[in-house]
Each structure stands twice: as C-alpha cells, then as structure tokens.
Amino acid sequence: MGDTHVLAKGVQDHPALPQALAETSRRTAAGKVVLPDGCYFIAYGLLDGASPSHAGTLRVDSRSGRLAASADLYAIDSSAAHPENNPPPIGSMPPPGSGIPIFPISDDRLYLRMTKIEATETGFVLAFEIHRFIVPTFLTLDGSTSSQWASESAFTAQMAPAAAPPGYPKGELFFVGDVSRTPIADEPQPDPIGRLQIG
C-alpha cells in the first residue's frame, strides 16, 4: 500500500487500495482522536433539499500502525426520497439497524478512498477520491471484459460534531459536514454541493 496516489480519470480493474495516512493526523492538539477506528454508517445528499441519495459504511483502521480509511456508498431507492414519504434530511438520518449496516450488492455505486483525515478546531477535514462502480460489464473489441471501476473527482468534506438522531450507539461520534469538489492547483475553493453525515 503506497503513501501516494495520483488520481487519473479512466477505467481500471479495481479501485485503488486505501491510502496509508499518518495516524497522528486525526488527533487534536490535545491528542484526542476525532475519528476512532471502527465502522460507521454514512449518508450523503445534495444541498438542494439534502434528502439522502446514497448511504453506506465507512471503515477506519490503524492496527497496522498507519491510518487507512475507505467507504462504500449504495444508491437509496429514489422513491424513498420523494417528499410525500418525508425522507429525513442529511444530519437526521437514523442508522438502518443495530450492528454494521448491510446493503444489497446490486445497489453498490461508489467507492470512496480517503486521502486525508485531519483534525481541526471545529471537527475534522475529510478528503477522498471517488471511484464509480459500473454495471453491467461488456465484451470489448479485443475480447476482454470491460472494467467495473472508473476514477472520478476528488472531494473535501468539512465535518463537525452534531446532535445524533436516535439509534446511534455512540452519539458523541456523530458528524455532519458540507462536501465540495477539491480545487485543482490555484483554483478557488468551490461552493459546497452536498452534505455528508457520519456516525
């Protein structure tokens, strides 16, 4: 597992392995870990309404001595997000049940490769790359099977502690934040496009 990775748009046979991060990056100046090891329920929605469009799990692990984190996002049934069904907004979405959430593999859409977990005075910065899961595969002109993964953009989320909805076993580990595309080179910071909750 390398310490650096260059994100290039295009297809690949598998998503990149989680990036090895310095374990100390997620610690505050006082030494507190802002995102401890474990498996978290996450949900994402666009800012225009912030109804959830994707949900999944985030894995955080430092047992090797280096910090690594990745996530899988699954599509939420579009009918569940209709206003008449009163979908909970991002920041208020309860976990789907006790224990580690399990989602239908047929709904798998995105793999998130975390490239930064950095403590701030108000929470933490989470930077990640998106790899899109493509179905179905097809036969290419040279007779091989097409790839199921395509690298897309990089994003940054400014996460902050928030009041946890009922059902979370550790309410003190619930975070909500705005998500923006990561600017390239000297570009200004883009406006937020969505919201993410982690708990």
Side-chain angles (χ1 to χ4, degrees):
M1 181 160 47
D3 288 344
T4 59
H5 173 73
V6 177
L7 178 65
K9 280 202 171 185
V11 295
Q12 54 202 19
D13 291 332
H14 54 80
L17 293 174
Q19 180 168 327
L21 308 171
E23 198 281 332
T24 54
S25 68
R26 61 174 172 170
R27 294 183 180 272
T28 65
K32 179 183 177 181
V33 173
V34 295
L35 191 66
D37 287 13
C39 186
Y40 298 82
F41 171 66
I42 62 175
Y44 174 82
L46 294 174
L47 276 185
D48 54 354
S51 293
S53 58
H54 295 80
T57 52
L58 165 67
R59 300 163 296 277
V60 182
D61 188 355
S62 64
R63 289 174 295 178
S64 67
R66 300 298 299 273
L67 178 62
S70 61
D72 292 291
L73 284 178
Y74 299 79
I76 293 177
D77 183 358
S78 60
S79 64
H82 288 172
E84 62 268 22
N85 292 324
N86 297 314
I90 295 299
S92 301
M93 190 172 180
S98 61
I100 298 175
I102 298 176
F103 299 89
I105 191 65
S106 60
D107 293 338
D108 192 6
R109 294 294 183 270
L110 301 169
Y111 169 77
L112 280 59
R113 180 178 186 265
M114 306 302 161
T115 57
K116 177 192 289 185
I117 303 175
E118 186 175 278
T120 66
E121 292 184 358
T122 57
F124 61 93
V125 173
L126 187 67
F128 53 91
E129 302 166 355
I130 291 288
H131 299 262
R132 178 165 45 93
F133 186 57
I134 305 170
V135 289
T137 59
F138 57 89
L139 197 65
T140 63
L141 294 181
D142 65 2
S144 61
T145 302
S146 65
S147 169
Q148 287 192 299
W149 295 98
S151 298
E152 296 199 338
S153 298
F155 294 84
T156 302
Q158 306 287 337
M159 306 302 297
Y168 285 91
K170 294 184 178 181
E172 71 276 12
L173 296 178
F174 184 79
F175 307 92
V176 178
D178 289 345
V179 178
S180 305
R181 289 187 181 274
T182 302
I184 299 174
D186 296 328
E187 288 183 350
Q189 179 66 43
D191 292 334
I193 59 171
R195 285 179 68 77
L196 179 70
Q197 71 171 60
I198 300 174

